[in-house]
Amino acid sequence: TSGNSDTNTFAFKNKLWRAWGINALEFNMGGLRAKATTRRFAVADDPNNLTGGFEVNEERDLVAEAYYLNGRYDRKLSERFFWYGGAGWDRNRFAGVENRYIAAGGLGNIWFNSDTMKWRTDYSATYTDQENVVDDPVFDGSFFGVRVTSGFMKKIGAATTYTNDAIFDENV
């Protein structure tokens, strides 16, 4: 976008998955990077400003940057019950996170699994190892946690799909 100020944003998101028999594999990745004009100022063409001319200068700064990569493997134990394991990495320097690595493993339920509606919930133990942008001697960046997630998908008509993913994650 441009006008009185300029902003450039680049974002991407991708999900790859494959299901075969009682197995499923999923990979997610995404990122966001944005720069914006933060200061605009005029500089005279000559030091004495006799000509009255000036040049407008802009300073552009990075105002947002976040990336993630994660994956998981699911294996059905029955038509309605499964176990899974997964791992991921993310970075969000503006939130203070230089690198965060997470591993999770647990069990889940499949509530609906049709072509038009899917809903699953899972319950897991997690381990997180986090490096902050600014070192805090009081912060312990490695900790265990518990997580409950819900993944819902509903097809609405021929060309519309509603999805909702909710995650409750608590460190212990």
Side-chain angles (χ1 to χ4, degrees):
T1 61
S2 64
N4 291 340
S5 66
D6 290 327
T7 304
N8 296 78
T9 305
F10 174 75
F12 65 95
K13 182 177 177 180
N14 195 20
K15 177 183 268 191
L16 302 170
W17 74 93
R18 181 163 196 270
W20 68 101
I22 60 172
N23 305 292
L25 192 58
E26 178 180 309
F27 292 103
N28 299 288
M29 63 184 286
L32 167 72
R33 183 177 172 89
K35 282 189 170 187
T37 302
T38 55
R39 288 172 290 286
R40 181 176 279 172
F41 52 93
V43 177
D45 288 343
D46 68 70
N48 298 323
N49 199 20
L50 298 175
T51 62
F54 62 90
E55 177 183 340
V56 176
N57 292 329
E58 294 181 343
E59 292 184 5
R60 298 175 55 74
D61 289 328
L62 190 63
V63 294
E65 184 179 41
Y67 306 102
Y68 68 90
L69 175 66
N70 61 55
R72 69 183 271 164
Y73 169 77
D74 292 33
R75 184 171 180 93
K76 285 184 180 179
L77 299 172
S78 71
E79 283 303 310
R80 301 246 180 235
F81 196 59
F82 64 93
W83 68 265
Y84 84 97
W89 164 86
D90 68 280
R91 171 178 290 160
N92 187 338
R93 289 186 176 128
F94 285 84
V97 177
E98 181 69 27
N99 290 299
R100 179 171 35 218
Y101 305 93
I102 299 174
L107 302 170
N109 295 100
I110 301 168
W111 302 102
F112 299 103
N113 190 19
S114 70
D115 291 339
T116 58
M117 186 164 63
K118 298 181 186 301
W119 181 36
R120 73 177 185 195
T121 55
D122 54 64
Y123 328 95
S124 61
T126 63
Y127 179 75
T128 301
D129 185 23
Q130 179 174 314
E131 304 164 13
N132 289 335
V133 172
V134 177
D135 190 33
D136 181 355
V138 179
F139 176 73
D140 183 6
S142 300
F143 51 89
F144 289 95
V146 293
R147 179 184 294 178
V148 177
T149 67
S150 171
F152 180 78
M153 183 278 298
K154 172 73 174 152
K155 287 191 178 183
I156 305 167
T160 304
T161 302
Y162 170 77
T163 62
N164 184 302
D165 293 317
I167 300 172
F168 170 77
D169 199 350
E170 184 67 31
N171 67 3
V172 293

